[in-house]
Amino acid sequence: MPSAPIALAAGATYGHYLGAVYIVIGAEAGALIAFGLARKLGRNTIRRWFGDRLSPIKLLGSQGVLMWAVFASRLMPFVSFDLVSYAAGLSNLTFWRFALATLAGIIPASFLLAHFGGEMANGKLGNAAWIALGLGIMTGTSILWAVRQGKRKRPHVFSDESRDGP
């Protein structure tokens, strides 16, 4: 279930600040539970399936790299929150670094969603709508740029040049 509608409802019900606090508490608790489940149950399962070929303790990289990856993923709206939490639980990232990176990454979106929810409840969506539109344009532009860059790097198998011969 997507958390954005719940976060909007929290902002509408409790207001901008208190709603954001509740959103942060809930998101952090959910992330820590998923991390803990993966850490306690997932590592043994991975070891049974793969043995020494794939050790969860050696997955990914250093503590700093893993922490920044979790932080960055929390800022991206289209990255699965739960998947990141489970994957981090399988990695060698420490609990406290995961908790801190998650907390720092979820605060901006929590305040933004609580603000939108509060504005919708008050019927004052004017400024919030412009902010949402701006963020949507920025997100859409970056996605289109990435797609376009990906297409440029692919070889054109069926281009006119390949049919002309040498």
Side-chain angles (χ1 to χ4, degrees):
M1 180 174 185
S3 62
I6 295 170
L8 291 170
T13 304
Y14 301 109
H16 177 78
Y17 296 107
L18 191 55
V21 168
Y22 288 145
I23 295 165
V24 168
I25 291 170
E28 183 77 8
L32 294 177
I33 289 168
F35 179 90
L37 285 171
R39 179 65 48 100
K40 293 292 181 192
L41 304 175
R43 283 184 166 200
N44 292 333
T45 302
I46 295 292
R47 279 191 189 107
R48 278 196 308 268
W49 287 351
F50 296 104
D52 291 336
R53 291 178 294 171
L54 181 66
S55 175
I57 296 171
K58 295 178 184 176
L59 284 180
L60 297 172
S62 72
Q63 292 289 313
V65 170
L66 292 171
M67 189 174 175
W68 279 108
V70 169
F71 172 74
S73 72
R74 299 306 190 203
L75 297 174
M76 297 180 206
F78 304 110
V79 175
S80 171
F81 199 84
D82 294 331
L83 183 62
V84 170
S85 298
Y86 291 125
L90 294 175
S91 75
N92 65 344
L93 184 63
T94 65
F95 175 82
W96 294 111
R97 284 182 179 256
F98 172 78
L100 181 62
T102 295
L103 181 64
I106 61 175
I107 288 175
S110 299
F111 275 98
L112 189 64
L113 288 169
H115 178 71
F116 286 155
E119 293 294 306
M120 287 189 317
N122 294 333
K124 300 178 186 176
L125 197 55
N127 289 337
W130 284 109
I131 292 170
L133 179 63
L135 291 172
I137 289 171
M138 287 173 28
T139 302
T141 302
S142 64
I143 290 171
L144 289 174
W145 180 80
V147 168
R148 186 173 175 174
Q149 291 298 98
K151 286 184 178 180
R152 283 185 182 174
K153 292 180 181 177
R154 289 187 198 149
H156 297 284
V157 177
F158 298 108
S159 67
D160 290 332
E161 296 172 9
S162 65
R163 282 187 273 163
D164 293 339

